[in-house]
């Protein structure tokens, strides 16, 4: 059997990690692929000192890789415009594609998969979500017998690292972000991490696989972690919760909830224990129940592990015919369901609220009445004594499950009270137990 020719585009952390892993573990990789896998061409603007290319051919123009005689183009350049052009060129030339590019798949996956289907080639993207955790393969293969009810994941390591350091060491947001950048986890534009965009990209991909729907990046409700104040981390702990930045996709009768936001999760829930830069994804299937997948979400080794697993999969299935290959979505590509995405107002969650209220008789009564007017039940309440010289006190409430619409109505009414100072802090709560 002929060797499979691989062309790697991009020689940054992941590109170099992929090249090195293909070389260091070549025996086991070839054995799993049942044929020899050979990197015959690398396209990179510059060399990478951690990577000894020896006599592998190198071109500075990555498009030369897409136009070469390789069987699989491995896109590891990141970004969107050039990467999209490169991938579509490779597909048009009949190449299979392996990519780690979450933004590209989340925003242009539908177009890319359609082109791939037409050409009868595969596009594999395990490394696009949660780095080394084989969550794509789990959803597409291991859980294929289930109706997926929901999934919830810590899918941005930088955000998780920041929240962990704030909680454990009371550290400053900007300082921790700088450390995540130095560790090589943060995106080129760290707003992607802290504003939740990176997590939204990954959630869209997971939801497409879980529910057999197109990529709907346009429809994700997204909140980042920039509004999280240390005091809320402390009150959450007092109530028995930890704040995690979650991507949540839930199948409801009327459609799918797709949302990314800071979330209080019970501290005894396993996902609450996932700290630092680590990632974890919970998936609830109707047959299997709740499952949890944990691992490193970025870095050379973990991401290369996922990229190479895809190279092996595609290599092993070369020649079987497109209809026998693993589909791009969780379901056979031609029966993808265009499910409605529910507006955030239709989401149902419990909620943590913090208000700054005047310390005087009757204030609590009025607020409790407003909650009741909006059919919201209060589960727990904490009121702290005022600081010296301060006439306002923090009032923290945990509600029972309610609709976002009810909650927003109550918040608006409470914020209108003269006895309440400034906007309320509002963090959703997920028990993740049903
Ligand atoms: N910036 C991402 C993170 C890298 O922090 O998780 C992996 O996609």
């Amino acid at each position: 059997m002929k060797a499979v020719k691989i062309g790697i585009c991009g020689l940054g952390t992941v590109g170099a990690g992929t090249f090195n892993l293909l070389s260091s573990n070549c025996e086991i990789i070839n054995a799993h692929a049942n044929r020899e896998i050979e990197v015959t061409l690398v396209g990179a603007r510059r060399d990478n000192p951690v990577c000894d290319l020896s006599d592998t051919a190198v071109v500075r123009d990555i498009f030369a890789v897409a136009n070469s005689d390789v069987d699989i183009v491995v896109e590891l350049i990141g970004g969107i415009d050039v990467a999209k052009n490169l991938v579509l060129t490779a597909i048009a030339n009949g190449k299979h594609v392996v990519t780690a590019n979450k933004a590209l798949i989340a925003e242009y996956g539908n177009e890319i998969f359609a082109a791939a289907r037409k050409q009868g080639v595969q596009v594999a993207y395990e490394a696009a979500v949660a780095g080394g955790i084989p969550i794509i393969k789990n959803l597409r293969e291991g859980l294929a017998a289930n109706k997926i009810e929901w999934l919830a994941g810590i899918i941005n390591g930088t955000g998780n690292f920041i929240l962990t350091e704030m909680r454990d060491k009371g550290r400053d947001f900007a300082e921790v972000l700088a450390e995540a950048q130095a560790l090589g986890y943060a995106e080129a534009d760290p707003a992607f991490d802290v504003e939740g965009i990176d997590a939204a990209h990954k959630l869209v991909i997971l939801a497409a696989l879980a529910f057999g729907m197109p990529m709907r990046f346009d429809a994700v409700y997204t909140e980042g972690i920039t509004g999280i104040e240390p005091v809320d981390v402390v009150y959450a702990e007092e109530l028995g919760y930890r704040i995690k930045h979650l991507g949540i996709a839930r199948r409801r009768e009327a459609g799918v909830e797709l949302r990314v936001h800071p979330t209080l999760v019970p501290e005894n829930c396993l996902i609450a224990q996932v700290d630092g830069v680590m990632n974890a994804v919970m998936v609830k299937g109707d047959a299997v129940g709740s499952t949890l997948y944990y691992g490193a979400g970025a870095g050379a080794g973990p991401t290369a592990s996922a990229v190479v697993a895809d190279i092996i999969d595609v290599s092993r299935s070369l020649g079987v015919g497109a209809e026998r290959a693993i589909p791009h979505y969780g379901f056979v590509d031609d029966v993808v369901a265009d499910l409605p995405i529910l507006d955030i107002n239709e989401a149902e969650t419990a909620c943590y609220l913090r208000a700054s209220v005047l310390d005087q008789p009757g204030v609590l009564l009025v607020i409790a009445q407003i909650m009741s007017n909006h059919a919201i039940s209060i589960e727990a309440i904490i009121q702290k004594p005022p600081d010296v010289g301060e006439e306002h006190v923090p009032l923290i409430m945990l509600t029972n499950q309610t609709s976002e619409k009810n909650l927003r109505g109550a918040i608006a009414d409470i914020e209108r009270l003269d006895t309440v100072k400034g906007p309320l802090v509002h963090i959703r709560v997920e028990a993740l137990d049903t």
Side-chain angles (χ1 to χ4, degrees):
M1 218 183 286
K2 275 194 337 202
V4 182
K5 294 180 181 167
I6 309 291
I8 295 179
C9 296
L11 210 55
T13 304
V14 180
T18 298
F19 184 91
N20 289 340
L21 183 58
L22 282 167
S23 156
S24 64
N25 282 2
C26 66
E27 275 177 28
I28 194 163
I29 290 166
N30 290 345
H32 278 133
N34 198 26
R35 55 204 298 178
E36 195 189 334
I37 290 176
E38 189 190 347
V39 179
T40 55
L41 191 56
V42 168
R45 267 200 298 249
R46 62 187 77 86
D47 292 350
N48 186 332
V50 303
C51 196
D52 175 11
L53 294 175
S54 309
D55 45 10
T56 308
V58 184
V59 284
R60 296 300 172 209
D61 171 16
I62 48 168
F63 284 85
V65 179
N67 291 318
S68 72
D69 67 347
V70 299
D71 301 297
I72 303 175
V73 171
V74 182
E75 182 278 302
L76 302 173
I77 62 170
I80 293 193
D81 294 338
V82 178
K84 181 183 170 201
N85 200 350
L86 175 72
V87 163
L88 290 175
T89 304
I91 291 171
N93 287 338
K95 316 291 179 202
H96 301 279
V97 171
V98 170
T99 177
N101 195 326
K102 58 237 160 161
L104 179 67
I105 296 298
E107 297 191 35
Y108 294 101
N110 303 323
E111 184 182 335
I112 288 169
F113 298 160
R117 230 174 12 253
K118 212 165 122 209
Q119 285 289 339
V121 296
Q122 296 183 56
V123 175
Y125 51 95
E126 179 65 66
V129 181
I133 305 176
I135 189 64
I136 307 280
K137 294 192 200 314
N138 276 316
L139 282 169
R140 200 156 45 182
E141 300 167 46
L143 299 174
N146 288 262
K147 286 189 193 121
I148 304 299
E149 295 175 5
W150 55 262
L151 59 87
I154 296 173
I155 42 182
N156 181 268
T158 302
N160 199 38
F161 181 58
I162 292 172
L163 289 175
T164 304
E165 292 289 297
M166 281 172 77
R167 186 194 73 221
D168 287 353
K169 301 178 191 151
R171 286 178 70 193
D172 176 67
F173 192 103
E175 180 196 316
V176 187
L177 175 59
E179 192 178 332
Q181 286 171 307
L183 284 170
Y185 271 77
E187 296 300 302
D189 176 357
F192 273 54
D193 295 305
V194 298
E195 301 293 354
I197 302 160
D198 178 72
H201 282 142
K202 294 165 181 169
L203 181 70
V204 162
I205 298 173
L206 292 179
L209 287 160
F211 306 126
M213 56 189 270
M215 306 284 162
R216 290 295 311 276
F217 180 66
D218 59 306
V220 192
Y221 175 81
T222 307
E223 273 178 32
I225 57 168
T226 47
I228 297 295
E229 294 179 45
V231 68
D232 294 309
V233 176
V234 173
Y235 292 139
E237 295 248 336
E238 210 169 301
L239 290 160
Y241 290 84
R242 288 188 170 177
I243 301 179
K244 291 291 173 190
H245 191 235
L246 294 187
I248 298 167
R250 189 182 289 274
R251 181 80 170 92
R252 304 240 315 264
E253 213 163 296
V256 174
E257 287 180 16
L258 274 186
R259 45 193 169 90
V260 168
H261 51 72
T263 312
L264 265 70
V265 287
E267 66 191 357
N268 59 3
C269 179
L270 276 178
I271 205 166
Q273 318 292 328
V274 174
D275 283 336
V277 291
M278 300 308 279
N279 282 200
V281 183
M282 281 183 84
V283 183
K284 170 83 189 296
D286 63 342
V288 72
S290 287
T291 56
L292 176 68
Y293 310 91
Y294 170 87
T303 312
S305 162
V307 170
V308 174
D310 275 346
I311 293 174
I312 292 171
D313 265 2
V314 174
S315 300
R316 203 167 35 196
S317 65
L318 285 183
V320 300
E323 73 290 348
R324 298 280 305 281
I326 296 166
H328 299 115
Y329 298 95
F331 294 35
V332 176
D333 288 350
D334 290 334
V335 294
V336 165
D338 206 355
L339 298 169
I341 308 297
L342 301 178
D343 185 82
I344 187 65
N345 276 305
E346 293 178 61
E348 297 264 345
T349 68
C351 185
Y352 164 101
L353 295 173
R354 175 166 59 83
S356 182
V357 303
L358 269 186
D359 188 18
Q360 66 184 36
V363 172
L364 200 52
L365 181 68
V366 174
I367 290 177
Q369 184 62 56
I370 291 174
M371 298 295 266
S372 164
N373 293 348
H374 290 272
I376 301 172
S377 173
I378 300 170
E379 165 96 6
I381 198 158
I382 302 174
Q383 192 196 301
K384 295 288 179 184
D387 289 336
V388 180
E390 177 59 74
E391 54 180 3
H392 289 88
V393 293
L395 174 71
I396 297 97
M397 288 179 288
L398 205 58
T399 74
N400 280 337
Q401 185 94 351
T402 185
S403 76
E404 181 90 8
K405 191 162 165 250
N406 285 350
L407 202 65
R408 289 187 181 199
I411 290 172
D413 285 354
I414 293 171
E415 285 176 346
R416 270 193 285 271
L417 297 174
D418 292 338
T419 49
V420 173
K421 186 171 79 172
L424 264 63
V425 171
H426 160 206
I427 309 176
R428 297 168 192 85
V429 179
E430 292 283 346
L432 302 176
D433 60 352
T434 55

